[in-house]
Amino acid sequence: MRLVFILGDQLTRGISSLDGIDPARDVVLMVEVAAEATYVRHHKQKLVLILSAMRHFAEELRAEGIRVDYVRLDAPENRQDFCAELARAVARHLPEAVVVTHPGEWRVLQLMQGWSEALGLPVEIRDDDRFLCQPAEFARLTTAGKTGRMEYFYREMRRRTGLLMEGAKPVGGKWNYDAENRKALPRGHRAPKRKRFAPDAVTAEVMTLVETRFADHFGTLDQFGWPVTRTEALLALDDFLRVALPSFGDWQDAMQAGEDFLYHSLIAPALNIGLLTALEVAAAAEREYLEGRAPLNAVEGFIRQVIGWREFVRGIYWTEMPGYAQTNALNATRPLPSFYWTGDTRMRCIAEVVRGTRENAYAHHIQRLMVTGNFALLAGIAPAEIEAWYLAVYADAFEWVELPNVHGMVAHADGGRLGSKPYAAAAAYIGRMSDYCRGCGYDAKARTGRNACPMNFLYWNFLITHQARFGKNPRMALPYKALAAMGKGERAAITAEAEAFLAKMKTPEAEPPAQISMPW
């Protein structure tokens, strides 16, 4: 008899640990433990999503006749820890072996690798074959020089899967249509209404539990509408393909106040906990192009995110951890300001993204990279602090995907492993891609002065501070040419205003209010 231990982000019927399960003998173990809910203080919606999806998945397995040993969070005997609960289950069932699928976090893998000795029986850790490229294969591709930049890795994944390929060549003659995907929304544009899912009885019960046990965690549950079953996840995917994918390419970088979802897929939470798989999602998008319902630039851009970037950052995580997380190339050390939790700032762009994050446990990739991420980069926020925030507040955030994206793309803390230049921008970019600057408390056009947007003087101060590192980077030639044209007086004023702003950001009145729990 084998004990199959399923984690909360492994809710896929075809997952490797369930391969060959014998319903007559084997037992599936699933546990809800406080340690996993609080090692960072996850958004309430994230907790509801995972716990509800786990409970639904357990019932689906039981409906197949599979025995499931399910330990609820509020069970009196629950020891609230993976290792302790596994040990209790081993004592209950006396299995000959434990079977698990490779986890999504380095910390958990270290636990798993110690289980065999601690339990005194074999523990089989199987590859997570929901991903297209396993860590060992990524390492071989690295040796072959195919993972230096995501673009080359992505092309390899296209060749291997055959997605959007005509023989050995990409459909349409180009691998990448990103240049066509940077349009701003027209003024007054109204995005389509997106499909959301009303909580059923299981989810409602979990919501009560979370509000009771984790009342001090960030976020609200009022707008909860994430899919918690595979059936709902497939409906969410279908909604994206029908109403949003055709326009996703054009407007995937756009932002608009009050429009939290726009044309984005909204399937990352379901994908990352296993209700959907990457290959089925990418194939469904390809089918929309082949059958004439979505343009190539939209479909290619979406598939690149799923089989390119998502697989690439996982490969970086598993081949370069744990040392990767310790790098801090820009020597960023400032604490995270309180407005990342409260939204209490005159910068309308950040206030709007934090509002959406609090209400939905979601923000799309440009909001994460070019608003909250951009500010963190320009302000020199310590990588560990901004990483802990992203991991806590987003429903789709698991360390294998969150850490490389934030450490490499947001903070440039890896010195350029993921991106050849930092994703730094002044207010002009935000003004061009959104309506956030209209009605903002700051002047988006002013570099300095009493009402200048902090994104502006922080941006130019960032360039000044790091000129030795980035001054000769060809991708940053234009901003450094503009910086060189500034007089000494303006440069000095920029530096002075940036230093004054950052110093004030660290004063006691900038600290989070007592009711906001920090996740570190």
Side-chain angles (χ1 to χ4, degrees):
M1 189 273 276
R2 299 175 302 172
L3 184 65
V4 180
F5 193 5
I6 300 290
L7 305 184
D9 59 348
Q10 298 179 345
L11 309 181
T12 310
R13 180 59 184 88
I15 200 163
S16 59
S17 54
L18 288 172
D19 185 36
I21 191 168
D22 182 353
R25 300 179 61 208
D26 299 337
V27 175
V28 168
L29 174 67
M30 300 179 70
V31 300
E32 303 172 358
V33 293
E36 295 306 305
T38 57
Y39 74 97
V40 296
R41 296 183 183 274
H42 297 288
H43 194 296
K44 291 177 183 177
Q45 287 197 27
K46 184 178 184 182
L47 294 176
V48 170
L49 166 69
I50 295 171
L51 296 180
S52 179
M54 287 176 65
R55 294 184 181 191
H56 282 94
F57 187 71
E59 287 307 309
E60 290 167 6
L61 293 179
R62 286 178 177 135
E64 286 188 45
I66 296 172
R67 285 196 296 163
V68 180
D69 182 351
Y70 195 99
V71 182
R72 293 195 173 207
L73 187 76
D74 51 0
E77 66 277 12
N78 189 337
R79 297 181 185 175
Q80 306 299 342
D81 172 84
F82 271 163
C83 301
E85 283 306 302
L86 176 58
R88 285 204 315 120
V90 166
R92 285 194 298 275
H93 300 290
L94 301 177
E96 297 170 10
V98 172
V99 179
V100 293
T101 291
H102 195 288
E105 195 165 335
W106 180 270
R107 169 187 64 89
V108 179
L109 181 62
Q110 304 313 294
L111 295 177
M112 285 184 175
Q113 290 173 336
W115 284 347
S116 181
E117 182 178 355
L119 299 170
L121 75 167
V123 175
E124 181 185 358
I125 304 175
R126 298 178 177 177
D127 285 345
D128 191 342
D129 54 11
R130 298 174 299 177
F131 292 91
L132 305 178
C133 186
Q134 298 304 320
E137 177 60 14
F138 190 88
R140 287 193 288 271
L141 290 174
T142 299
T143 301
K146 295 183 178 181
T147 66
R149 285 287 175 261
M150 191 281 289
E151 180 66 24
Y152 303 107
F153 173 80
Y154 164 57
R155 294 178 186 182
E156 181 70 16
M157 293 300 101
R158 287 270 296 276
R159 294 186 185 100
R160 291 188 180 195
T161 61
L163 290 164
L164 293 180
M165 297 294 293
E166 292 178 334
K169 296 182 179 180
V171 168
K174 294 195 302 183
W175 292 101
N176 186 317
Y177 290 83
D178 196 40
E180 300 178 22
N181 296 344
R182 299 168 181 166
K183 298 175 183 176
L185 290 166
R187 186 175 288 214
H189 181 86
R190 299 191 66 176
K193 182 178 176 60
R194 304 302 301 280
K195 187 171 186 62
R196 304 288 280 165
F197 300 89
D200 64 6
V202 173
T203 301
E205 182 181 16
V206 172
M207 291 170 76
T208 300
L209 175 68
V210 167
E211 286 285 22
T212 302
R213 297 289 288 264
F214 307 107
D216 61 342
H217 283 221
F218 177 76
T220 67
L221 294 178
D222 296 344
Q223 304 299 319
F224 185 89
W226 298 108
V228 295
T229 66
R230 175 158 172 81
T231 298
E232 289 181 346
L234 289 170
L235 291 172
L237 173 61
D238 180 68
D239 176 71
F240 167 62
L241 297 175
R242 287 186 302 100
V243 308
L245 179 60
S247 297
F248 169 77
D250 289 347
W251 292 323
Q252 66 173 287
D253 286 4
M255 299 174 282
Q256 183 170 302
E259 290 285 357
D260 296 332
F261 303 139
L262 293 172
Y263 295 91
H264 293 271
S265 72
L266 309 186
I267 63 167
L271 183 60
N272 288 353
I273 64 174
L275 301 180
L276 299 169
T277 63
L279 192 56
E280 73 175 333
V281 164
E286 180 192 44
R287 191 160 52 249
E288 295 301 299
Y289 167 71
L290 295 176
E291 297 181 4
R293 292 188 292 270
L296 183 56
N297 71 304
V299 174
E300 185 280 318
F302 177 70
I303 287 177
R304 179 163 16 102
Q305 289 186 357
V306 176
I307 71 165
W309 191 253
R310 184 174 184 267
E311 296 278 338
F312 182 69
V313 298
R314 182 176 184 263
I316 294 293
Y317 180 83
W318 283 113
T319 57
E320 302 193 16
M321 281 291 281
Y324 184 82
Q326 307 308 314
T327 56
N328 189 356
L330 302 185
N331 194 31
T333 59
R334 291 188 179 89
L336 190 76
S338 63
F339 51 70
Y340 275 73
W341 301 103
T342 66
D344 187 13
T345 171
R346 289 170 57 205
M347 289 179 283
R348 189 182 181 213
C349 56
I350 289 183
E352 178 66 12
V353 175
V354 171
R355 176 205 57 76
T357 298
R358 181 173 55 249
E359 293 179 2
N360 304 305
Y362 175 82
H364 67 70
H365 67 281
I366 293 298
Q367 292 174 314
R368 299 188 202 194
L369 180 62
M370 301 308 300
V371 179
T372 51
N374 182 46
F375 181 88
L377 172 68
L378 300 181
I381 305 302
E385 296 217 357
I386 188 64
E387 288 155 16
W389 184 77
Y390 277 93
L391 184 60
V393 303
Y394 291 119
D396 57 8
F398 294 86
E399 194 178 72
W400 65 266
V401 65
E402 172 275 325
L403 180 63
N405 271 298
V406 180
H407 198 78
M409 294 299 288
V410 167
H412 202 78
D414 64 359
R417 174 65 181 91
L418 261 67
S420 59
K421 77 174 192 68
Y423 279 83
Y429 173 85
I430 296 172
R432 183 167 65 252
M433 298 308 299
S434 77
D435 62 356
Y436 294 159
C437 295
R438 295 199 290 271
C440 180
Y442 289 106
D443 183 351
K445 296 182 179 179
R447 291 176 180 166
T448 58
R450 182 177 179 183
N451 210 37
C453 175
M455 293 287 192
N456 287 337
F457 54 72
L458 289 177
Y459 172 74
W460 293 106
N461 182 67
F462 177 85
L463 295 184
I464 293 168
T465 301
H466 298 291
Q467 186 160 7
R469 176 180 287 272
F470 300 123
K472 295 182 180 179
N473 186 321
R475 295 187 66 194
M476 300 187 72
L478 286 177
Y480 274 107
K481 184 177 180 180
L483 181 65
M486 291 183 190
K488 289 184 179 180
E490 185 172 9
R491 288 169 64 110
I494 286 169
T495 298
E497 291 206 23
E499 290 177 351
F501 178 87
L502 294 171
K504 183 178 180 182
M505 197 174 73
K506 293 194 295 184
T507 57
E509 58 266 26
E511 291 299 312
Q515 68 269 25
I516 300 295
S517 297
M518 304 297 277
W520 52 83

